[in-house]
């Protein structure tokens, strides 16, 4: 990779995808700024590089001056900012649209050479899901402000710190049944977080990726029912799979939204009503020279701790 001696600013770099990306970037010799609201939560990443190579900095993405300060002298910027549910003053609009627009607009003004914007598979301005609509609106804002940006649309990401397979595995450990929202027929194409991090590296280093969109999925498509069954296999906990019709799921999600960290929201139910798979003919991992990693190679390395006698690890959280 050609990042040696470059300055790279990663917005949202202390999260799930960010930690995998930062560790890869550190090996290139680049200087990395981790731009986050809570830099103390990114301190664990400093050991991935040499002294002073990885610098967590406090950034308020609602403020032009704060974002501009994070981009001073940067050669390459990556925007990983995204939320699965609104919390406090952080909304889908502020995280997916306003922050994306601000990063792209200020990156262009600062003459940043390359920008990679991570969106989501299923981003669609006509979607019934606010998450999917704002992801699409964010993409449009980014490409308007920075036409040479590369947009990556990953499917549901899996890996040791994920909030997908780990969540279902924890449910299998503590509850007698697992829910099948909408009868479990929704099709998903989970992608390994390491492959997405590698895609960012390639897109940031290859000028031919400028202005293009890549849709990132794993090698196989699974129904939600098949994913739940796989969780049962990896954890060794056989549980009843209970189909929950869409209407009931929406009602239950509405009640759960009163919790501080709801396990399901109405918007997520709406999102699950559409298959989350790579459309035919789309540019993806293969076009970036990356062979998609199968879940068979990764899931056993971190779900085994949920087996009887195992000790579930307290996962680090970051934003």
């Amino acid at each position: 990779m050609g990042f040696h001696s470059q300055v790279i600013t990663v917005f949202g770099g202390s999260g799930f995808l960010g930690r995998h990306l930062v560790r890869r970037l550190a090996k290139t010799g680049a200087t990395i700024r981790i731009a986050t609201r809570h830099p103390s939560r990114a301190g664990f990443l400093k050991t991935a590089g040499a002294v002073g190579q990885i610098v967590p900095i406090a950034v308020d993405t609602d403020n032009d001056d704060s974002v501009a300060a994070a981009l001073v002298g940067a050669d390459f910027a990556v925007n990983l900012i995204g939320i699965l549910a609104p919390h406090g003053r952080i909304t889908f609009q502020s995280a997916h649209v306003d922050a994306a627009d601000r990063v792209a607009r200020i990156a262009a003004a600062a003459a940043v050479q390359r920008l990679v914007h991570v969106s989501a598979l299923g981003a669609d301005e006509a979607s019934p899901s606010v998450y999917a609509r704002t992801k699409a609106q964010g993409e449009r804002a980014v490409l308007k402000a920075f036409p040479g940006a590369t947009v990556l649309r990953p499917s549901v990401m899996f890996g040791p710190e994920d909030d997908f397979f780990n969540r279902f595995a924890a449910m299998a450990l503590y509850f007698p049944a697992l829910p099948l929202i909408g009868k479990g027929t929704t099709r998903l194409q989970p992608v390994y977080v390491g492959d997405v991090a590698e895609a960012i590296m390639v897109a940031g280093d290859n000028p031919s990726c400028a202005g293009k969109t890549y849709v990132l999925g794993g090698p196989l498509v699974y129904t939600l029912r098949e994913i739940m069954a796989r969780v049962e296999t990896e954890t060794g906990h056989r549980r009843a799979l209970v189909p929950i019709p869409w209407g009931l799921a929406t009602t239950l999600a509405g009640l759960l939204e009163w919790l501080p960290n709801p396990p399901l929201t109405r918007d997520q139910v709406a999102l699950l009503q559409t298959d989350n798979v790579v459309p035919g003919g789309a540019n993806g991992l293969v076009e970036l020279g990356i062979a998609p990693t199968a879940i068979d190679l990764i899931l056993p390395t971190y779900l085994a701790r949920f087996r009887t006698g195992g000790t579930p690890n307290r996962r680090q959280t970051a934003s």
Side-chain angles (χ1 to χ4, degrees):
M1 292 292 176
F3 299 122
H4 182 70
S5 78
Q6 287 194 6
V7 174
I8 302 173
T9 301
V10 183
F11 291 88
S14 58
F16 174 39
L17 173 57
R19 64 188 66 190
H20 287 265
L21 173 63
V22 168
R23 289 174 180 137
R24 281 168 169 76
L25 287 171
K27 294 177 181 178
T28 70
T31 297
I32 305 155
R33 298 172 184 159
I34 303 176
T36 173
R37 291 181 185 274
H38 306 287
S40 61
R41 299 179 185 176
F44 71 97
L45 283 169
K46 293 197 288 186
T47 58
V51 175
Q53 183 186 4
I54 299 171
V55 184
I57 57 175
V59 173
D60 179 2
T61 52
D62 293 331
N63 181 281
D64 277 20
D65 290 340
S66 184
V67 172
L71 289 168
V72 171
D75 302 288
F76 173 30
V78 183
N79 182 20
L80 306 181
I81 296 170
I83 58 173
L84 292 175
H87 50 93
R89 66 187 182 90
I90 302 175
T91 65
F92 285 131
Q93 174 70 30
S94 67
H96 297 165
V97 186
D98 299 341
D101 174 68
R102 184 167 287 108
V103 168
R105 175 169 47 81
I106 296 175
V112 172
Q113 297 171 22
R114 295 286 296 116
L115 171 64
V116 173
H117 174 75
V118 177
S119 181
L121 199 164
D124 182 356
E125 294 194 52
S127 173
S129 161
V130 182
Y131 171 90
R133 290 202 302 273
T134 53
K135 280 290 189 180
Q137 290 162 5
E139 290 181 12
R140 178 159 51 84
V142 166
L143 292 173
K144 179 180 179 181
F146 199 123
T150 300
V151 174
L152 302 182
R153 291 180 166 186
S155 182
V156 174
M157 289 183 283
F158 66 91
E161 312 89 355
D162 72 44
D163 195 33
F164 185 69
F165 284 101
N166 276 300
R167 176 171 297 201
F168 292 135
M171 292 173 65
L173 181 63
Y174 296 113
F175 297 104
L178 294 175
L180 290 177
I181 306 299
K183 300 183 180 180
T185 58
T186 305
R187 298 163 65 239
L188 307 170
Q189 196 168 348
V191 61
Y192 177 46
V193 64
D195 291 344
V196 179
E198 193 63 27
I200 296 170
M201 300 278 286
V202 174
D205 193 43
N206 189 342
S208 69
C209 295
K212 295 181 181 178
T213 296
Y214 295 84
V215 187
L216 313 180
L220 296 173
V221 174
Y222 302 86
T223 64
L224 187 57
R225 176 182 287 274
E226 290 170 335
I227 285 173
M228 293 295 194
R230 185 57 187 268
V231 168
E232 290 184 324
T233 298
E234 296 298 340
T235 62
H237 299 293
R238 307 301 297 182
R239 297 292 184 252
L241 299 180
V242 181
I244 301 179
W246 294 117
L248 178 57
T250 300
T251 300
L252 290 174
L255 297 174
L256 291 172
E257 286 175 12
W258 290 96
L259 298 175
N261 184 26
L264 185 68
T265 67
R266 285 170 291 181
D267 196 74
Q268 289 167 355
V269 173
L271 192 62
L272 281 170
Q273 293 184 43
T274 303
D275 289 341
N276 194 252
V277 298
V278 177
N283 287 327
L285 289 172
V286 173
E287 284 70 27
L288 291 169
I290 301 167
T293 303
I295 65 172
D296 293 347
L297 299 177
I298 306 297
L299 282 190
T301 68
Y302 67 97
L303 291 192
R305 68 179 184 270
F306 289 97
R307 288 182 173 272
T308 301
T311 302
N313 296 330
R314 185 181 297 276
R315 293 178 292 124
Q316 291 176 294
T317 58
S319 61

